[in-house]
Amino acid sequence: QLQLVESGGGLVQPGGSLRLSCAASGFTLDYYAIGWFRQAPGKEREGVSCISYSGGSTNYADSVKGRFTISRDNAKNTVYLQMNSLKAEDTAIYYCAAVNHPYVCYDSYVDYWGQGTQVTVSS
């Protein structure tokens, strides 16, 4: 099947860290920009980070800048999101998405969505 599978979510205390992975099956990520999005209860889905097809450029939402790092390993067909200094407001379901563009991560350009992984930041 053509799909993206996220993993690495879980429960973590404020100030802690998690590393999310997004692995593609049935297609290659080489020519897609990859975005991480999140949706908290009662909130709209928002963009978190974006990485270009080659990994040469990255972008972050202001709310996570300096705390989160996006990276990709095209040889492994996988994208990562390292999340440090987590806050309660980071609690959400996190989704990765393959975007039909080499370097932008507009929601409307998404070809494939992952199923999501839950991140809960709580003491």
Coordinates of all heavy atoms in Angstrom, one line a residue, residues 8-62:
G8 N 6.8 7.0 17.4 CA 7.6 7.7 18.4 C 6.9 8.6 19.4 O 7.5 9.1 20.3
G9 N 5.6 8.7 19.2 CA 4.8 9.5 20.1 C 4.6 8.8 21.5 O 5.0 7.6 21.6
G10 N 4.1 9.5 22.4 CA 3.9 9.0 23.7 C 3.7 10.0 24.7 O 3.4 11.2 24.4
L11 N 3.8 9.7 26.0 CA 3.6 10.6 27.1 C 5.0 11.0 27.6 O 5.8 10.1 27.9 CB 2.8 9.9 28.2 CG 2.6 10.6 29.6 CD1 1.8 11.9 29.4 CD2 2.0 9.7 30.6
V12 N 5.1 12.3 27.8 CA 6.4 12.8 28.3 C 6.1 14.0 29.2 O 5.1 14.7 29.1 CB 7.3 13.2 27.1 CG1 6.7 14.4 26.3 CG2 8.7 13.6 27.6
Q13 N 7.0 14.2 30.2 CA 6.9 15.3 31.1 C 7.3 16.6 30.5 O 8.2 16.6 29.5 CB 7.7 15.1 32.4 CG 7.1 13.9 33.2 CD 7.8 13.8 34.5 OE1 8.9 14.4 34.8 NE2 7.3 12.9 35.4
P14 N 6.8 17.7 30.9 CA 7.3 19.0 30.4 C 8.8 19.1 30.5 O 9.4 18.7 31.5 CB 6.6 20.1 31.3 CG 5.4 19.4 31.7 CD 5.7 17.9 31.9
G15 N 9.4 19.7 29.5 CA 10.9 19.7 29.4 C 11.6 18.5 28.8 O 12.8 18.6 28.5
G16 N 10.8 17.5 28.6 CA 11.3 16.3 28.0 C 11.5 16.3 26.5 O 11.2 17.3 25.9
S17 N 11.9 15.2 25.9 CA 12.1 15.1 24.5 C 11.5 13.9 23.9 O 11.3 12.8 24.6 CB 13.6 15.0 24.2 OG 14.3 16.2 24.6
L18 N 11.1 14.0 22.7 CA 10.6 12.8 21.9 C 11.2 13.0 20.5 O 11.4 14.1 20.0 CB 9.1 12.8 21.8 CG 8.3 12.3 23.0 CD1 6.8 12.5 22.8 CD2 8.6 10.8 23.4
R19 N 11.3 11.8 19.8 CA 11.8 11.8 18.4 C 10.7 11.1 17.6 O 10.5 9.9 17.8 CB 13.1 11.2 18.2 CG 13.7 11.3 16.8 CD 14.9 10.4 16.6 NE 15.6 10.7 15.4 CZ 16.4 9.9 14.8 NH1 16.5 8.6 15.2 NH2 17.1 10.2 13.7
L20 N 10.0 11.8 16.7 CA 9.1 11.2 15.9 C 9.7 10.7 14.5 O 10.6 11.4 14.0 CB 7.9 12.1 15.5 CG 7.2 12.8 16.8 CD1 6.1 13.6 16.3 CD2 6.7 11.7 17.7
S21 N 9.2 9.6 14.0 CA 9.7 9.1 12.7 C 8.5 9.0 11.8 O 7.3 8.8 12.2 CB 10.3 7.7 12.9 OG 11.5 7.8 13.7
C22 N 8.7 9.2 10.5 CA 7.7 9.1 9.5 C 8.3 8.3 8.3 O 9.3 8.7 7.7 CB 7.3 10.5 9.0 SG 6.2 10.5 7.5
A23 N 7.9 7.0 8.2 CA 8.4 6.1 7.2 C 7.4 5.9 6.1 O 6.2 5.7 6.3 CB 8.8 4.8 7.9
A24 N 7.9 5.9 4.8 CA 7.0 5.7 3.7 C 7.1 4.3 3.2 O 8.1 3.6 3.3 CB 7.5 6.6 2.5
S25 N 5.9 3.8 2.8 CA 5.8 2.4 2.2 C 5.1 2.5 0.9 O 4.1 3.2 0.8 CB 5.0 1.5 3.1 OG 5.7 1.3 4.4
G26 N 5.7 1.9 -0.1 CA 5.1 1.8 -1.4 C 5.4 2.9 -2.4 O 5.0 2.9 -3.5
F27 N 6.2 3.9 -1.9 CA 6.7 5.0 -2.7 C 7.9 5.6 -2.1 O 8.2 5.4 -0.9 CB 5.6 6.0 -3.0 CG 5.2 6.9 -1.8 CD1 5.7 8.2 -1.7 CD2 4.4 6.4 -0.8 CE1 5.3 9.0 -0.6 CE2 4.1 7.1 0.3 CZ 4.5 8.4 0.4
T28 N 8.6 6.4 -2.8 CA 9.8 7.0 -2.3 C 9.5 8.5 -2.0 O 8.7 9.2 -2.7 CB 11.0 7.0 -3.3 OG1 12.1 7.6 -2.8 CG2 10.6 7.6 -4.7
L29 N 10.1 9.0 -0.9 CA 10.0 10.4 -0.5 C 11.0 11.3 -1.2 O 10.9 12.5 -0.9 CB 10.2 10.4 1.0 CG 9.2 9.7 1.9 CD1 9.5 9.9 3.4 CD2 7.8 10.3 1.6
D30 N 11.8 10.8 -2.0 CA 12.9 11.6 -2.6 C 12.5 12.9 -3.2 O 13.3 13.9 -3.1 CB 13.7 10.8 -3.6 CG 14.5 9.7 -3.0 OD1 14.3 9.3 -1.9 OD2 15.3 9.1 -3.8
Y31 N 11.4 13.0 -3.8 CA 11.0 14.2 -4.6 C 9.8 14.9 -3.9 O 9.2 15.8 -4.6 CB 10.6 13.8 -6.0 CG 11.8 13.1 -6.7 CD1 11.8 11.8 -7.0 CD2 12.9 13.9 -7.0 CE1 12.9 11.2 -7.6 CE2 14.0 13.3 -7.6 CZ 14.0 11.9 -7.9 OH 15.1 11.3 -8.5
Y32 N 9.5 14.6 -2.7 CA 8.5 15.3 -2.0 C 9.1 16.2 -0.9 O 10.0 15.8 -0.1 CB 7.6 14.4 -1.3 CG 6.7 13.5 -2.2 CD1 7.1 12.3 -2.7 CD2 5.4 14.0 -2.5 CE1 6.3 11.6 -3.5 CE2 4.6 13.2 -3.3 CZ 5.1 12.0 -3.8 OH 4.2 11.2 -4.6
A33 N 8.6 17.4 -0.7 CA 8.8 18.1 0.6 C 7.9 17.3 1.6 O 6.9 16.8 1.2 CB 8.3 19.5 0.5
I34 N 8.4 17.3 2.8 CA 7.7 16.6 3.9 C 7.4 17.6 5.0 O 8.2 18.3 5.4 CB 8.5 15.4 4.5 CG1 8.9 14.4 3.4 CG2 7.7 14.7 5.5 CD1 7.7 13.8 2.7
G35 N 6.1 17.6 5.4 CA 5.7 18.5 6.4 C 5.2 17.7 7.7 O 4.7 16.5 7.5
W36 N 5.4 18.3 8.8 CA 4.8 17.8 10.1 C 3.7 18.8 10.4 O 4.0 20.0 10.5 CB 5.9 17.7 11.2 CG 6.8 16.5 11.1 CD1 8.0 16.4 10.6 CD2 6.5 15.2 11.5 NE1 8.5 15.2 10.7 CE2 7.6 14.3 11.3 CE3 5.4 14.6 12.1 CZ2 7.6 13.0 11.6 CZ3 5.4 13.2 12.4 CH2 6.5 12.4 12.2
F37 N 2.6 18.2 10.7 CA 1.4 19.0 11.2 C 1.0 18.4 12.5 O 1.3 17.3 12.9 CB 0.3 18.9 10.2 CG 0.6 19.4 8.8 CD1 1.4 18.7 7.9 CD2 0.2 20.7 8.4 CE1 1.7 19.2 6.6 CE2 0.5 21.2 7.1 CZ 1.3 20.4 6.3
R38 N 0.2 19.2 13.2 CA -0.4 18.7 14.5 C -1.8 19.3 14.7 O -2.1 20.4 14.1 CB 0.5 19.1 15.7 CG 0.6 20.5 16.0 CD 1.6 20.8 17.1 NE 1.7 22.2 17.5 CZ 2.6 22.6 18.4 NH1 3.5 21.8 18.9 NH2 2.6 23.9 18.7
Q39 N -2.6 18.6 15.4 CA -3.9 19.0 15.7 C -4.2 18.7 17.2 O -4.2 17.5 17.6 CB -5.0 18.4 14.8 CG -6.4 18.9 15.0 CD -7.3 18.5 13.9 OE1 -7.1 17.5 13.2 NE2 -8.4 19.3 13.7
A40 N -4.5 19.7 18.0 CA -4.8 19.5 19.4 C -6.4 19.5 19.5 O -7.1 20.0 18.6 CB -4.3 20.7 20.2
P41 N -6.9 18.9 20.6 CA -8.3 18.8 20.7 C -9.0 20.2 20.7 O -8.5 21.1 21.3 CB -8.5 18.2 22.1 CG -7.2 17.4 22.3 CD -6.2 18.2 21.7
G42 N -10.0 20.3 19.8 CA -10.7 21.6 19.7 C -10.0 22.6 18.9 O -10.5 23.7 18.7
K43 N -8.9 22.3 18.3 CA -8.1 23.2 17.5 C -8.0 22.8 16.0 O -8.2 21.6 15.7 CB -6.7 23.4 18.1 CG -6.6 23.8 19.5 CD -7.1 25.2 19.7 CE -6.9 25.7 21.1 NZ -7.4 27.1 21.4
E44 N -7.7 23.7 15.2 CA -7.5 23.4 13.8 C -6.1 22.8 13.6 O -5.2 23.1 14.4 CB -7.6 24.7 12.9 CG -9.0 25.3 12.9 CD -9.1 26.5 12.0 OE1 -8.1 26.9 11.4 OE2 -10.2 27.0 11.8
R45 N -6.0 22.0 12.6 CA -4.7 21.5 12.2 C -3.7 22.6 11.9 O -4.1 23.6 11.1 CB -4.8 20.5 11.1 CG -3.5 19.8 10.7 CD -3.7 18.8 9.6 NE -4.3 19.4 8.4 CZ -5.2 18.8 7.6 NH1 -5.6 17.6 7.9 NH2 -5.6 19.4 6.5
E46 N -2.5 22.6 12.3 CA -1.5 23.6 12.0 C -0.2 23.0 11.6 O 0.2 21.9 11.9 CB -1.2 24.5 13.3 CG -0.6 23.7 14.4 CD -0.3 24.6 15.6 OE1 -0.2 25.9 15.4 OE2 -0.1 24.1 16.7
G47 N 0.5 23.7 10.7 CA 1.8 23.3 10.3 C 2.8 23.5 11.4 O 2.8 24.5 12.1
V48 N 3.7 22.5 11.5 CA 4.8 22.6 12.5 C 6.1 22.8 11.9 O 6.9 23.7 12.4 CB 4.8 21.3 13.4 CG1 6.0 21.3 14.4 CG2 3.5 21.1 14.1
S49 N 6.4 22.0 10.9 CA 7.7 22.1 10.3 C 7.7 21.6 8.8 O 6.8 20.8 8.5 CB 8.8 21.4 11.1 OG 10.1 21.5 10.6
C50 N 8.6 21.9 8.0 CA 8.7 21.5 6.6 C 10.1 21.3 6.2 O 11.0 22.1 6.6 CB 8.0 22.5 5.8 SG 8.0 22.2 4.0
I51 N 10.4 20.3 5.5 CA 11.8 20.1 4.9 C 11.7 19.8 3.4 O 10.8 19.1 3.0 CB 12.5 18.9 5.7 CG1 13.9 18.8 5.2 CG2 11.7 17.6 5.5 CD1 14.8 17.9 6.2
S52 N 12.6 20.5 2.7 CA 12.6 20.3 1.2 C 13.0 18.9 0.8 O 13.5 18.1 1.6 CB 13.5 21.3 0.6 OG 14.8 21.1 1.0
Y53 N 12.8 18.6 -0.4 CA 13.0 17.2 -0.9 C 14.4 16.7 -0.7 O 14.6 15.5 -0.4 CB 12.7 17.1 -2.4 CG 13.7 17.7 -3.3 CD1 14.6 16.9 -4.0 CD2 13.8 19.1 -3.5 CE1 15.6 17.4 -4.8 CE2 14.8 19.6 -4.3 CZ 15.7 18.8 -5.0 OH 16.6 19.3 -5.8
S54 N 15.4 17.6 -0.7 CA 16.8 17.2 -0.5 C 17.3 17.4 0.9 O 18.4 17.0 1.2 CB 17.7 18.0 -1.5 OG 17.6 19.4 -1.1
G55 N 16.4 18.1 1.7 CA 16.9 18.4 3.1 C 17.6 19.7 3.1 O 18.1 20.1 4.2
G56 N 17.7 20.4 2.0 CA 18.5 21.6 2.0 C 17.9 22.9 2.6 O 18.7 23.8 2.9
S57 N 16.6 22.8 2.9 CA 16.0 24.0 3.5 C 14.9 23.4 4.5 O 14.3 22.4 4.2 CB 15.4 24.9 2.5 OG 14.3 24.3 1.8
T58 N 14.8 24.1 5.6 CA 13.8 23.8 6.6 C 13.1 25.0 7.1 O 13.6 26.1 7.0 CB 14.4 23.1 7.8 OG1 15.4 23.9 8.4 CG2 15.1 21.7 7.4
N59 N 11.8 24.8 7.6 CA 11.1 25.9 8.1 C 10.3 25.4 9.4 O 10.0 24.2 9.5 CB 10.0 26.4 7.1 CG 10.7 27.0 5.9 OD1 10.8 26.4 4.9 ND2 11.1 28.3 6.1
Y60 N 10.1 26.3 10.3 CA 9.4 25.9 11.6 C 8.4 27.0 11.9 O 8.6 28.2 11.7 CB 10.5 25.8 12.7 CG 11.5 24.8 12.5 CD1 12.7 25.2 11.8 CD2 11.3 23.5 12.9 CE1 13.7 24.2 11.6 CE2 12.3 22.5 12.7 CZ 13.5 22.9 12.0 OH 14.5 22.0 11.8
A61 N 7.3 26.5 12.5 CA 6.4 27.5 13.1 C 7.1 28.2 14.3 O 8.0 27.6 15.0 CB 5.2 26.7 13.7
D62 N 6.7 29.5 14.5 CA 7.3 30.2 15.6 C 7.2 29.6 16.9 O 8.1 29.7 17.8 CB 6.7 31.6 15.6 CG 7.1 32.5 14.5 OD1 8.1 32.2 13.8 OD2 6.4 33.5 14.2

